[in-house]
Amino acid sequence: MPAAPEPVERVGRGLAVALLAVLGSGVLAVVVWNLGYVASITSVVLAAGAVLGYAKAAGSPPRRGMLPLLGLIVLGVVGTALALVGWDASQYYSAHAAEAAAAGVSRSSFVWENVTDGEVLRSYGGDLAMYFVLAALGTVGVIVRLVRGER
């Protein structure tokens, strides 16, 4: 009996669904952060959701799309950390909207300035350090399984 043909890997489709998982995990992280917790466990959800979503949508586990998927996961973790800082900046802006409006500062520019300001990011030092350490620990297992080709 001839072997079944290898399924065709649809990289673009897989990455699109993985991106949806990354964005959904980012929203989950902001919700958890808003409840007063460091949202690092959501990185496991991010990585696992991206890998599973990719495999389902692409029709096979990642082979050709492995490096882009790994990059998407890493960017998702970093982007989520910046989203947490951005959320806090947006909340601060809301509490001081009248003063900001009088100064001619828009919410988007205020959030952008805070997310890209090294001093602001350093003020989150402990929380962001914990986020990245726990995110690395959580996603390493998923990434190792991905590289080994396990499901």
Side-chain angles (χ1 to χ4, degrees):
M1 213 167 149
E6 285 287 317
V8 175
E9 182 179 359
R10 294 186 243 43
V11 175
R13 186 172 166 184
L15 289 174
V17 171
L19 178 60
L20 292 175
V22 167
L23 295 174
S25 298
V27 170
L28 176 63
V30 170
V31 168
V32 171
W33 179 262
N34 194 41
L35 294 173
Y37 300 100
V38 176
S40 55
I41 192 68
T42 59
S43 297
V44 176
V45 174
L46 183 150
V51 170
L52 293 173
Y54 180 95
K56 281 276 192 205
S60 73
R63 285 184 295 281
R64 291 182 311 154
M66 185 179 302
L67 288 179
L69 181 59
L70 289 173
L72 180 62
I73 291 169
V74 170
L75 287 175
V77 169
V78 172
T80 298
L82 294 176
L84 300 176
V85 174
W87 173 260
D88 283 353
S90 180
Q91 294 301 100
Y92 183 88
Y93 185 92
S94 292
H96 299 89
E99 298 145 39
V105 177
S106 70
R107 180 183 303 268
S108 60
S109 66
F110 181 80
V111 169
W112 179 254
E113 285 178 31
N114 280 277
V115 167
T116 59
D117 185 332
E119 188 175 324
V120 171
L121 294 176
R122 278 189 297 279
S123 73
Y124 280 83
D127 287 337
L128 288 181
M130 184 185 311
Y131 173 80
F132 282 116
V133 167
L134 294 175
L137 291 173
T139 57
V140 162
V142 173
I143 291 172
V144 166
R145 289 183 65 190
L146 174 62
V147 170
R148 288 184 182 164
E150 300 173 15
R151 284 194 134 202

